[in-house]
C-alpha cells in the first residue's frame, strides 16, 4: 500500500511541535504502509521573503524530512492577504500537480490523503483527478466551521474539496455531520478520532515536584488552559470566570499556555488578583512543556466557542486531569459529564466558574475523573487505532479502483 500524504502541517527544525500529522504518518509506517509526505509551503517574492513567516517558509523548504519520515517541501504561490486564501487554493493545485507528476516517477503512489479542506484538500482533489488517483480529504475543524464562513468564494472552494473527494474523514461525529452538509450527503464521511501520545501525556504522582520544576508555587491548586489567546477560544469567559473564582481563594492559580490578542487582558487580571503568581502566562511552549504543565495542574479548562476535536482535551485526559470544557464540536464525544469532567454552554462564564469550583472543591472526585479519562483515552484514542482505521478506508477505496491494497 503506497500512500502520499499532502499536508502543510508537518514538523521542521523551525516548527518542531507541529507533530500531529507526523505522528499519524509514523503510525501508518509502523503498520507497514509505504507512506511519503508532500508539504506545501507558501512562496513569496524576494522582498517579502526577508520578513517574518515568509523567511521561515523559505528556510523550511531546504529540509528533506523529519524523524525518519521522507517529506518533500514544495513552494506554491500564496498571496500575502488571508482574504485571498481561495486564490491560493488554485495556485497550490497547479504547483501540486507538477510536483506529483515528478514524484510519481520514483514513487508510484496509489492514493492521496490531504489534510484540511483548503488549501491542501482542494488542490489534492484537482491533482488527483488529473492523475487518476483516489483522494481522501481530512476535515480537522476550522477548515469546516471557520474558513468557509469568510465569504462565498471560501465556501465554494471548501465545498469543491468535499464534493470532489472519494472519501472525507472527520475527527469527530459532529464535524462529520457539518462536513456532510457541504456535499448534501453525496460523499461518504468517515469518523476517525485523533491519536494521543499516552507516554508523553501521562499522570504525575508528585505535582509539587512538577510545579517546582516549572518555577511555580508548589502549594494550592492550579487550573490550566492551553490555546490561542483570542475571543474565539473563550478566553474572555475564562478571564471573567477565574476572576470571580479567585475571590476569597488565594490558593487557586491559573496557567494559560499560548499567545494572542488577549494576552494583555490576562496579564491585567493577574495584576488585579495580586501579581503574576495568580495568573501565569509563559506564552507558546513546546509539546513537552505542555505535558510538564499538565503534570503540575489539577484540571484543564477549555472554553472554546467552536472546535473539531481539540488535541489538548485528549492530552489532558491522558495525563489524568479532569476537564471542564464547552459543549462544542466533538468535545461531548470524549468528555463524559460527571465521569471524566464537566461540560457547559459556550460563552457562559457563570457556568464555567461553577464547574471549576465544583471540581476544585472535591479533590477525591477530581482524581476519579482523571483516572476515568486516562482509561478512556488509552482504550480508544491511540495512534495505532488511528492508523488501522485509516488503513481500512484506504483498502476499501483501492479495492473500488481495482488496485492491490496489501501492505
Amino acid at each position: 500500500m503506497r500512500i502520499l500524504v499532502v499536508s502543510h502541517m508537518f514538523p521542521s527544525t523551525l516548527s518542531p511541535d507541529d507533530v500531529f500529522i507526523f505522528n499519524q504518518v509514523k503510525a501508518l509506517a509502523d503498520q507497514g504502509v509505504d507512506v511519503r509526505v508532500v508539504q506545501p509551503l507558501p512562496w513569496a517574492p524576494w522582498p517579502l521573503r526577508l520578513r517574518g513567516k515568509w523567511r521561515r517558509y523559505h528556510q523550511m523548504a531546504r529540509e528533506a524530512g523529519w524523524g525518519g519520515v521522507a517529506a518533500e517541501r514544495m513552494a506554491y504561490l500564496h498571496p500575502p492577504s488571508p482574504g485571498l486564501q481561495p486564490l491560493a487554493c488554485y495556485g497550490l493545485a497547479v504547483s501540486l500537480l507538477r510536483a506529483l507528476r515528478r514524484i510519481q516517477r520514483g514513487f508510484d503512489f496509489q492514493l492521496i490523503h490531504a489534510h484540511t479542506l483548503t488549501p491542501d484538500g482542494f488542490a489534492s482533489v484537482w491533482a488527483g483527478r488529473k492523475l487518476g488517483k483516489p483522494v481522501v480529504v481530512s476535515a480537522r475543524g476550522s477548515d469546516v466551521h471557520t474558513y468557509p464562513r469568510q465569504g462565498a468564494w471560501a465556501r465554494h472552494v471548501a465545498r469543491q474539496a468535499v464534493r470532489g473527494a472519494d472519501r472525507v474523514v472527520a475527527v469527530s461525529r459532529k464535524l462529520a455531520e457539518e462536513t456532510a452538509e457541504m456535499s448534501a450527503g453525496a460523499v461518504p464521511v468517515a469518523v476517525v478520532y485523533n491519536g494521543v501520545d499516552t507516554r508523553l501525556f501521562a499522570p504525575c504522582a508528585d505535582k509539587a515536584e512538577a510545579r517546582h520544576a516549572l518555577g511555580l508555587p508548589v502549594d494550592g491548586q492550579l487550573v490550566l488552559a492551553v490555546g490561542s489567546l483570542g475571543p474565539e477560544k473563550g478566553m474572555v469567559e475564562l478571564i471573567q470566570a477565574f476572576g470571580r473564582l479567585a475571590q476569597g481563594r488565594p490558593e487557586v492559580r491559573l496557567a494559560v499556555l499560548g499567545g494572542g490578542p488577549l494576552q494583555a487582558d490576562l496579564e491585567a487580571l493577574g495584576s488585579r488578583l495580586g501579581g503574576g503568581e495568580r495568573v501565569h502566562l509563559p506564552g507558546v511552549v513546546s509539546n513537552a512543556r505542555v505535558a510538564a504543565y499538565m503534570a503540575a495542574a489539577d484540571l484543564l479548562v477549555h472554553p472554546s466557542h467552536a472546535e473539531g476535536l481539540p488535541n489538548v482535551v485528549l492530552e489532558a485526559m491522558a495525563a489524568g486531569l479532569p476537564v471542564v470544557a464547552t459543549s462544542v464540536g466533538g468535545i461531548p464525544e470524549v468528555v463524559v459529564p460527571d465521569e471524566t469532567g464537566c461540560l457547559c454552554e459556550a460563552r457562559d462564564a457563570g457556568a464555567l466558574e461553577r464547574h471549576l469550583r465544583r471540581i476544585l472543591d472535591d479533590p477525591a472526585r477530581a482524581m476519579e475523573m482523571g483516572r476515568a479519562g486516562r482509561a478512556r483515552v488509552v482504550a480508544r484514542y491511540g495512534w495505532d487505532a488511528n492508523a488501522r482505521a485509516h488503513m481500512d478506508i484506504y483498502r476499501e477505496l483501492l479495492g473500488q479502483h481495482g488496485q492491490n491494497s496489501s501492505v
Side-chain angles (χ1 to χ4, degrees):
M1 188 184 298
R2 300 180 301 280
I3 307 300
L4 188 75
V5 169
V6 178
S7 176
H8 65 272
M9 302 176 292
F10 200 74
S12 71
T13 55
L14 296 171
S15 56
D17 291 308
D18 288 344
V19 297
F20 181 84
I21 304 302
F22 169 79
N23 287 336
Q24 189 174 100
V25 169
K26 186 67 167 58
L28 287 169
D30 290 344
Q31 296 285 339
V33 177
D34 192 356
V35 56
R36 313 286 173 89
V37 176
V38 172
Q39 182 181 19
L41 295 175
W43 176 89
W46 182 79
L48 282 176
R49 198 181 303 161
L50 301 178
R51 297 164 45 194
K53 66 179 182 180
W54 303 102
R55 182 178 182 181
R56 180 167 63 90
Y57 291 144
H58 184 64
Q59 292 173 305
M60 289 170 62
R62 301 172 185 173
E63 300 179 14
W66 185 261
V69 175
E72 175 171 327
R73 273 85 179 189
M74 54 151 288
Y76 71 100
L77 181 63
H78 191 301
S81 170
L84 294 178
Q85 179 172 327
L87 181 60
C89 292
Y90 293 92
L92 176 55
V94 173
S95 297
L96 183 63
L97 176 60
R98 186 182 306 118
L100 296 191
R101 281 175 170 158
R102 175 176 45 77
I103 291 170
Q104 192 174 15
R105 292 195 288 269
F107 177 61
D108 189 18
F109 55 90
Q110 297 171 284
L111 180 147
I112 302 168
H113 187 167
H115 292 270
T116 71
L117 302 186
T118 59
D120 303 349
F122 176 90
S124 295
V125 164
W126 189 81
R129 292 296 166 266
K130 297 291 185 182
L131 297 173
K133 304 290 185 181
V135 179
V136 175
V137 175
S138 283
R140 313 215 64 89
S142 57
D143 53 342
V144 174
H145 54 63
T146 300
Y147 297 132
R149 296 177 184 175
Q150 293 180 347
W153 196 9
R155 286 194 298 275
H156 172 73
V157 294
R159 286 173 177 167
Q160 289 296 107
V162 173
R163 294 172 181 176
D166 293 278
R167 183 65 54 86
V168 175
V169 177
V171 298
S172 71
R173 291 195 303 270
K174 178 63 174 177
L175 194 64
E177 294 170 1
E178 296 173 359
T179 307
E181 291 175 359
M182 298 174 71
S183 71
V187 178
V189 181
V191 177
V192 179
Y193 289 103
N194 294 337
V196 180
D197 185 343
T198 54
R199 290 173 295 183
L200 177 61
F201 296 95
C204 175
D206 191 341
K207 291 192 178 296
E209 181 180 346
R211 292 175 187 179
H212 178 74
L214 291 169
L216 298 173
V218 299
D219 60 342
Q221 294 173 301
L222 180 64
V223 175
L224 177 66
V226 183
S228 61
L229 307 187
E232 72 284 352
K233 289 298 182 181
M235 292 302 175
V236 171
E237 293 82 35
L238 177 58
I239 294 170
Q240 295 168 345
F242 187 77
R244 293 197 290 260
L245 176 71
Q247 293 177 11
R249 300 172 69 116
E251 79 286 358
V252 177
R253 298 176 176 87
L254 171 68
V256 185
L257 313 185
L262 290 179
Q263 184 161 347
D265 289 334
L266 282 166
E267 291 171 346
L269 171 63
S271 298
R272 291 199 304 274
L273 295 175
E277 285 191 352
R278 298 302 304 275
V279 180
H280 180 60
L281 298 164
V284 179
V285 303
S286 68
N287 288 332
R289 199 74 168 169
V290 171
Y293 273 94
M294 287 186 177
D298 291 288
L299 64 85
L300 178 92
V301 56
H302 194 77
S304 185
H305 296 171
E307 288 289 353
L309 181 60
N311 277 8
V312 66
V313 168
L314 292 174
E315 290 163 354
M317 291 168 63
L321 296 182
V323 174
V324 175
T326 46
S327 184
V328 299
I331 293 176
E333 298 170 35
V334 296
V335 177
V336 182
D338 297 321
E339 181 180 326
T340 66
C342 300
L343 296 174
C344 64
E345 294 299 317
R347 300 179 174 86
D348 189 340
L352 203 61
E353 179 202 353
R354 288 193 298 274
H355 287 309
L356 290 171
R357 191 182 299 276
R358 175 186 171 197
I359 290 181
L360 292 172
D361 285 347
D362 192 347
R365 183 64 180 136
M367 290 183 66
E368 291 177 8
M369 288 180 170
R371 285 193 291 267
R374 168 75 179 180
R376 185 176 176 86
V377 167
V378 169
R380 303 185 183 198
Y381 305 110
W383 279 114
D384 288 344
N386 179 281
R388 289 193 296 270
H390 280 104
M391 290 168 66
D392 288 342
I393 293 169
Y394 300 158
R395 289 192 185 97
E396 180 183 350
L397 288 178
L398 291 176
Q400 292 173 1
H401 284 74
Q403 296 192 49
N404 181 7
S405 61
S406 61
V407 174

